[in-house]
Amino acid sequence: MSDPKIFLHKDFTHVYKPIMQFNKNRTEFVHQWYPFVEGYSKEFITNIIEEIDYEPQFALDPFAGSGTTPVELQEMGINCYSFEVSPFMHLLATVKLERGYNLHDFINYHITVGQFLNGVLQPIRKFLSPPIEQSFQPRKGKSKWVFDVGVMNGILDIKYAISLVPDEKYRKLFSIALASILLDVSNVYRNGKCLSYKEDWNKRKIKRREVHKKFLDKLSNLIQPDIEKLETIESTVENLQYCIHGDVRNSISQIPNGSIDLVITSPPYLNSRDYTDIYLAELWILDLVKNYEELKQLRHNTFISHVQVKHGEINALEIPELKRVLNELNGKKVEMWNDDLPIMIKGYFKDMDNLFDQLKLKMHPDKKVFFNVANSAYYGVEIKVDEIVSAIAETHGFTINEIREARQLKPSSQQKETIKSLRESVIVMTSP
C-alpha cells in the first residue's frame, strides 16, 4: 500500500472556532425562526466572501440544510443553487429564502389563526388525525410516548388553523413556526444521534392552550419583527429561491456545466447520524412523510453516512488513507455494534467521489471550494475524513490549497479513552 498524501494543514481555530456553530444564528434575522442544531453560522459565509479575490456570480451548496449558505448569499446579492434531500430542511430553507412576505398579509393571517386558537376548543380529532408514528401517542403496551394527548390536540388545532390560511407561502411559514415549538412541548429532546426522553418527562403536564400560546408567541415575538424588516430590504438578485428538493447525487445534473464559481458546503459528517431520526417529529407532524414506506425511501435517498439502510457490498476507493482505515477496522469486526459500519464508510467516500466527479463539470475553472467536514472514529480507529476527501478531490483535478483546522470536537463516549479529540476542518480547494 502506498503512503497517504501529505496535505498542507493550517490552524484556523482563531478564525473559525467562534463562527462554526449555528448557535450564533439563534438570535439572527430570519435564522432564528427555527433552532437548527447542526451547521455553521452566517459569519462563516461572510468570512469566505471577504476572503476570496473575485465576485461570484453563481454559488452552490449541495447540502443546504437549514439554508444558511443560500440565505446569506442572497442577502449579499449572490445567486446560489442549493439542494436538500430532507423535505423538512428543504421547507425550512425555502421559507427562509422567500422574499414575498407582506406585513399586512402576515398580520391578517396571524389574526385568523389566533381567532381560531383562542376560540372555543373543538373536537379536533373529528377533523384531523395524529400521525401514524406509533411512538407519538400513548398506546396499549407502550410505556413512553413523545406527545401527551392534550399536547397532540393542541398541535392538531394549530395544523387546522394553518389550513385556514389561503396563501401557501404563509401556510409554509406558519408550519415552520409550529415545527420550532414541537420539541418544547414534547417529552423528548435531541441527544446527538437520536431523540431521548426528558428527565421526569411523565411529570411534565403541558396544557392544550399552552401549546397554542407558544405558537402564537413565536409568530408575534420572533417572526413578525423579521417580516417587518424584510419589507425594507430590496433584493438585487432575480432567481434567488433556487433550492432544489432532491438528492444532489441525482439532481445536480440540472445545473448548467461550467456555471458555478464558488462552492460553500458542509456535507453530513461520517458519524452514523441519521437525520431522518433526529427530525422525526417535524417530518411526521407536518405531513412531510405520511407512512413508513415514505420514511424508508427518504433514508435511501440520503447521502451514505449512517447504517439505517442496507446498501449491499460497496467497493472501496483506491485511496491509501481509506485502505488503512478499513484494514484496521477489519481487525475490530468482533467488537462492532453493526456489521455494516465498513460498508457505510466505503459508501460515504464513494458518494464523495461521485460528487466531485460532478463538481468538476459544474464549476468554472480556477474557482474556490470551501468544504466543511469533521473526522470521526470507530473502535479506536480515527478516520481522517478531511484528508481522504482531499485525496478524492485531487483525483478529479481539484487543487487542495490547504486543510484548515476549524476546531476540535469531542469524540463519542466509546472513543474518548483512546482518542481525545477529532478535528473539524474546512478544506479549501481550487476547481480544475
Side-chain angles (χ1 to χ4, degrees):
M1 184 187 304
S2 59
D3 293 331
K5 175 75 181 288
I6 297 175
F7 295 100
L8 174 63
H9 286 258
K10 286 190 178 180
D11 184 352
F12 260 67
T13 54
H14 61 292
V15 176
Y16 287 149
K17 189 176 180 180
I19 63 175
M20 291 305 291
Q21 291 178 299
F22 186 84
N23 280 345
K24 289 178 68 68
N25 283 357
R26 284 179 179 271
T27 57
E28 292 287 349
F29 173 61
V30 174
H31 297 295
Q32 64 183 339
W33 292 356
Y34 179 86
F36 188 61
V37 177
E38 296 80 17
Y40 38 65
S41 71
K42 58 178 286 186
E43 284 85 357
F44 179 63
I45 309 301
T46 55
N47 182 276
I48 288 171
I49 299 303
E50 289 169 1
E51 173 185 340
I52 60 177
D53 59 358
Y54 61 93
E55 294 184 9
Q57 300 301 308
F58 275 94
L60 168 67
D61 184 352
F63 307 97
S66 68
T68 300
T69 300
V71 168
E72 285 310 304
L73 292 181
Q74 176 175 268
E75 296 307 310
M76 298 177 197
I78 300 170
N79 287 289
C80 181
Y81 296 102
S82 58
F83 293 85
E84 182 48 53
V85 68
S86 164
F88 171 63
M89 290 301 158
H90 177 262
L91 173 64
L92 177 57
T94 301
V95 164
K96 289 163 64 176
L97 283 164
E98 175 64 56
R99 290 297 176 266
Y101 301 120
N102 172 279
L103 182 60
H104 178 266
D105 290 342
F106 175 86
I107 290 172
N108 283 340
Y109 296 140
H110 187 183
I111 291 171
T112 299
V113 169
Q115 286 175 338
F116 178 84
L117 295 177
N118 291 324
V120 177
L121 292 176
Q122 301 294 320
I124 193 64
R125 298 195 187 211
K126 288 186 177 180
F127 309 115
L128 291 176
S129 297
I132 64 170
E133 165 56 44
Q134 295 188 0
S135 67
F136 277 15
Q137 287 277 265
R139 293 176 184 270
K140 187 177 180 179
K142 295 284 185 182
S143 60
K144 292 183 177 182
W145 50 89
V146 174
F147 299 103
D148 292 331
V149 172
V151 167
M152 179 59 78
N153 287 341
I155 291 169
L156 294 176
D157 292 335
I158 294 169
K159 285 183 65 175
Y160 186 80
I162 291 172
S163 74
L164 302 176
V165 174
D167 191 319
E168 182 184 21
K169 65 177 174 287
Y170 292 98
R171 290 198 303 271
K172 289 180 176 180
L173 174 62
F174 287 11
S175 293
I176 291 302
L178 170 57
S180 74
I181 69 164
L182 288 179
L183 289 199
D184 284 347
V185 301
S186 77
N187 298 325
V188 298
Y189 67 98
R190 288 194 179 92
N191 182 20
K193 298 178 183 179
C194 61
L195 298 176
S196 296
Y197 281 83
K198 298 171 183 175
E199 187 176 354
D200 296 331
W201 66 271
N202 52 342
K203 296 179 182 177
R204 299 172 69 254
K205 297 299 176 187
I206 297 177
K207 296 179 180 178
R208 187 172 174 180
R209 294 284 194 187
E210 289 180 69
V211 180
H212 300 168
K213 185 176 186 307
K214 282 182 178 289
F215 170 73
L216 293 172
D217 285 350
K218 182 80 174 187
L219 292 180
S220 297
N221 300 332
L222 283 183
I223 296 182
Q224 183 169 321
D226 283 354
I227 299 298
E228 198 167 347
K229 183 177 178 181
L230 276 172
E231 283 201 324
T232 68
I233 298 173
E234 184 175 351
S235 176
T236 57
V237 183
E238 293 181 1
N239 298 316
L240 299 177
Q241 301 152 44
Y242 203 50
C243 185
I244 300 167
H245 180 211
D247 178 358
V248 68
R249 295 170 298 181
N250 302 322
S251 305
I252 197 171
S253 58
Q254 300 177 46
I255 294 179
N257 288 352
S259 62
I260 302 300
D261 49 15
L262 176 65
V263 174
I264 306 173
T265 196
S266 181
Y269 289 174
L270 185 56
N271 55 13
S272 66
R273 182 173 292 184
D274 181 0
Y275 291 95
T276 56
D277 274 352
I278 300 172
Y279 294 96
L280 269 182
E282 291 84 350
L283 289 168
W284 282 108
I285 293 295
L286 300 186
D287 299 319
L288 298 170
V289 294
K290 299 182 179 65
N291 53 59
Y292 289 107
E293 184 56 39
E294 288 184 1
L295 190 65
K296 180 181 177 182
Q297 189 57 52
L298 176 58
R299 286 194 173 106
H300 270 285
N301 291 343
T302 58
F303 206 77
I304 299 177
S305 60
H306 56 80
V307 293
Q308 295 283 71
V309 175
K310 297 286 185 183
H311 291 284
E313 190 50 54
I314 297 174
N315 294 326
L317 299 175
E318 293 295 326
I319 303 292
E321 178 62 20
L322 176 57
K323 292 285 191 179
R324 177 196 67 79
V325 165
L326 293 171
N327 285 339
E328 286 193 35
L329 283 175
N330 193 47
K332 310 273 187 177
K333 276 195 171 180
V334 177
E335 306 171 39
M336 285 189 183
W337 53 270
N338 191 301
D339 291 341
D340 287 337
L341 274 174
I343 294 174
M344 176 194 77
I345 293 166
K346 288 187 280 188
Y348 182 83
F349 292 113
K350 187 72 172 175
D351 278 351
M352 287 290 182
D353 185 58
N354 292 335
L355 176 64
F356 281 102
D357 189 45
Q358 290 291 321
L359 284 181
K360 71 181 179 186
L361 298 176
K362 303 305 172 185
M363 291 195 72
H364 193 274
D366 297 319
K367 300 302 180 182
K368 292 297 182 185
V369 177
F370 292 80
F371 210 79
N372 171 221
V373 296
N375 294 349
S376 57
Y378 295 96
Y379 302 98
V381 179
E382 182 178 2
I383 305 173
K384 295 179 181 178
V385 174
D386 50 10
E387 295 189 2
I388 298 173
V389 169
S390 296
I392 291 169
E394 277 199 336
T395 67
H396 294 285
F398 288 82
T399 300
I400 307 303
N401 304 118
E402 58 197 25
I403 298 175
R404 298 174 174 177
E405 180 183 330
R407 54 182 175 155
Q408 291 290 324
L409 304 179
K410 293 181 180 179
S412 65
S413 56
Q414 299 94 329
Q415 308 300 322
K416 61 184 179 183
E417 286 189 12
T418 54
I419 296 175
K420 301 305 178 185
S421 62
L422 293 167
R423 185 172 61 233
E424 182 182 27
S425 304
V426 177
I427 310 168
V428 183
M429 58 185 92
T430 305
S431 58

